[in-house]
Amino acid sequence: MKKPSPSLIITLIVVASAVGLVAYRMMPKQIDDRAILEQVKERVKDKQIEQKEEYLKQAEERVEKLSDEEEDNDANALIYTAVYYNNLGEKELALDYYLRALEKDPTSRLGLHNLASLYEDLTRWDKAEERYLELIAYHPTYIPAYRSIGYLYRYRFPDPDQKIEDIFKAGLSVTNNHPDLLNWIIAYYQETDRPEIALSFSEELARQLNAQKGSAPKADDLQFETNVPGLEVEVVK
């Protein structure tokens, strides 16, 4: 029997190694949340952080939930673990936990909003925009999302007018000209020295308030109506 050539052997070894590496990367990672928490405790033990002990206690309670057999509460536990780690200054670690939470519940309003806000803290403006747009796509009547992305565009993006106009037109359409959104866009145009545009929105706001006899709906009245037609927002991936 003819022996295989050295080059063939080397090729087979390389191929086998590549296949093994792919298989390893596809395996679910086993994450030891308790070990991570102990590392956090060690890192922050000498730091002056207000309410540090309370944050660690709350994080520990959430980590316990991650180790139980009830998977239904995992997304929520991951989100709140991220909140407490962020409060402790562990922002990159908090980022990992938010991303894990969204793997389990991709439409989580709290998870998406907090993640977008964290990306802002990390000065990753494009990532923050992606998550805010995702949040609006899943929850188109959630008023705080429009305000948050409006401020992001205004202060972190060059020439923000078109982005602000597009997102607020969509928001006003889907929320039937919600007064909170009208107030935001009025203030934006007033503060950027365009009173004539602000005036047109002010007139609409006056009509809204007159129609409702001074009792404008609160954001909470609308924020759970998630299947509203007419909003076309691209979710950036």
Side-chain angles (χ1 to χ4, degrees), residues 126-161:
D126 290 339
K127 285 291 186 181
E129 179 191 26
E130 289 176 14
R131 294 302 180 168
Y132 281 133
L133 290 177
E134 213 172 331
L135 174 63
I136 288 170
Y138 285 128
H139 305 280
T141 57
Y142 179 50
I143 304 302
Y146 294 95
R147 293 198 297 262
S148 294
I149 199 170
Y151 286 121
L152 175 69
Y153 285 150
R154 179 175 180 181
Y155 295 110
R156 303 303 181 188
F157 280 69
D159 303 318
D161 275 3

Side-chain angles (χ1 to χ4, degrees), residues 5-23:
S5 67
S7 60
L8 177 58
I9 293 173
I10 292 171
T11 301
L12 290 172
I13 291 172
V14 170
V15 170
S17 299
V19 170
L21 179 60
V22 170

